Amino acid sequence: MEKHEQLYSGKAKSVYSTDDQNLLVMHFRNDTSAFDGKKVAQLDRKGMVNNKFNAFIMEKLTAAGIPTHFVKRLSDEESLVKRLQMIPVECVVRNIAAGSLCRRLGVKEGIDLNPPTFELFLKNDALGDPMINESHVRSFGWASEEQVAAMRELTFRVNDVLKQLFLGGDMLLVDFKLEFGLTAEGELVLGDEITPDGCRLWDKNTREKLDKDRFRQDLGNVVEAYEEVGRRLGIQL
Ligand code: ADP
Ligand code: UDP
């Protein structure tokens, strides 16, 4: 697939057009960021690790009947995806309290959330990705009522699939963020990525952090932890 001009370069990935107007190349770079881009670094191998990790997870989700933008992995750092009109809303599910939930509600990190929570955030770095609700999404026209319901349903289905998958590697899926978009045919599908950059993953027994909190909290061995997650899932990195 011929890669044409760069359409967008975000904090961790760049997106290119291709010969086919409905397909894009997604390049996973080594750039890492946290706190809405205020903390940044280059981490060796991260682009490759996340691209291979994402491909593995997207294939698992496809096999479980969840529609995604993923077509195929092209190289170490690049994958082919369907071009989406992105819905500018991040869907977050939490199984265990951590991160912004603890800061916002003053709860202790590590408490079980039963049932899991579902939260929406506006994708807007300048505003610090503020939390929003379904009413905002509808009033501002970011998505329809049916689309919000579908995003919620798909997010919980992804949670069911991934919780089991990570548990198989003795890991707890604490929380994660998903983004959705519409294909040229108007189908709502999962977009963006699922990697340890956008999930919290803890060792089931020690609760050691194996995700981007290692970068946020300066715990070191960030990519090594991502590789450990991959090894436990049997991913060839
Ligand atoms: P950010 O924009 O948050 O800095 P990235 O560096 O990961 O994030 O950039 C990837 C961008 O590509 C994101 O804005 C994401 O919403 C967008 N994106 C993800 N999947 C698709 C897709 N299939 N079609 C179009 N845009 C996409
Ligand atoms: N997340 C993400 N991108 C964002 C915000 C959050 O991938 O812009 C992920 C984050 O890695 C975590 C989950 O969503 O797995 C919940 O994040 P939280 O709201 O706790 O915010 P944070 O602690 O990252 O500020």
Side-chain angles (χ1 to χ4, degrees):
M1 181 62 62
E2 274 290 304
K3 198 165 95 181
H4 291 195
E5 89 269 26
Q6 182 175 289
L7 299 178
Y8 178 78
S9 188
K11 297 186 292 299
K13 301 194 291 302
S14 301
V15 176
Y16 298 84
S17 62
T18 68
D19 302 344
D20 184 329
Q21 62 163 359
N22 291 326
L23 296 175
L24 301 175
V25 170
M26 196 166 250
H27 177 207
F28 289 73
R29 307 192 314 270
N30 286 342
D31 299 286
T32 306
S33 76
F35 312 121
D36 301 311
K38 290 194 238 350
K39 177 173 177 171
V40 294
Q42 282 272 320
L43 299 176
D44 279 352
R45 305 190 305 287
K46 199 200 72 148
M48 178 185 72
V49 169
N50 274 4
N51 184 39
K52 292 184 176 177
F53 192 99
N54 179 63
F56 176 88
I57 298 286
M58 289 286 173
E59 279 165 5
K60 289 280 179 203
L61 294 177
T62 303
I66 291 159
T68 85
H69 70 155
F70 184 77
V71 178
K72 64 175 177 180
R73 186 165 71 80
L74 297 172
S75 64
D76 279 357
E77 294 189 344
E78 291 176 329
S79 287
L80 192 65
V81 299
K82 289 183 194 160
R83 184 197 284 260
L84 301 182
Q85 190 192 320
M86 296 304 289
I87 293 173
V89 168
E90 300 184 338
C91 298
V92 171
V93 160
R94 302 177 192 270
N95 299 302
I96 298 175
S100 72
L101 181 77
C102 297
R103 296 195 293 276
R104 204 178 328 118
L105 301 183
V107 297
K108 249 182 80 189
E109 180 180 89
I111 60 170
D112 281 335
L113 300 168
N114 195 5
T117 62
F118 178 74
E119 299 169 343
L120 299 171
F121 296 87
L122 180 64
K123 202 173 148 59
N124 184 322
D125 281 335
L127 297 178
D129 290 352
M131 192 177 189
I132 52 173
N133 63 29
E134 298 189 9
S135 159
H136 295 128
V137 176
R138 288 177 55 199
S139 296
F140 289 102
W142 293 316
S144 69
E145 188 174 0
E146 294 72 29
Q147 287 166 342
V148 180
M151 292 197 292
R152 182 191 175 93
E153 204 247 331
L154 286 169
T155 304
F156 279 119
R157 276 171 63 194
V158 170
N159 189 41
D160 289 340
V161 174
L162 295 189
K163 253 194 324 195
Q164 287 311 310
L165 184 71
F166 288 117
L167 210 47
D170 277 342
M171 290 173 282
L172 299 173
L173 177 60
V174 173
D175 58 33
F176 61 94
K177 179 269 298 179
L178 298 182
E179 292 181 29
F180 292 89
L182 302 171
T183 64
E185 295 79 38
E187 189 194 3
L188 182 97
V189 306
L190 176 64
D192 206 45
E193 65 174 84
I194 298 186
T195 67
D197 271 357
C199 300
R200 285 194 171 88
L201 297 162
W202 293 352
D203 178 88
K204 180 169 161 262
N205 302 310
T206 65
R207 298 210 158 197
E208 183 189 6
K209 294 177 169 143
L210 300 170
D211 55 69
K212 198 157 89 175
D213 272 349
R214 299 201 70 83
F215 175 67
R216 293 188 189 95
Q217 300 173 9
D218 293 319
L219 300 174
N221 293 328
V222 179
V223 177
E224 289 78 2
Y226 292 18
E227 287 169 330
E228 170 64 11
V229 175
R231 193 191 60 73
R232 292 188 191 195
L233 296 180
I235 306 174
Q236 293 290 331
L237 295 174

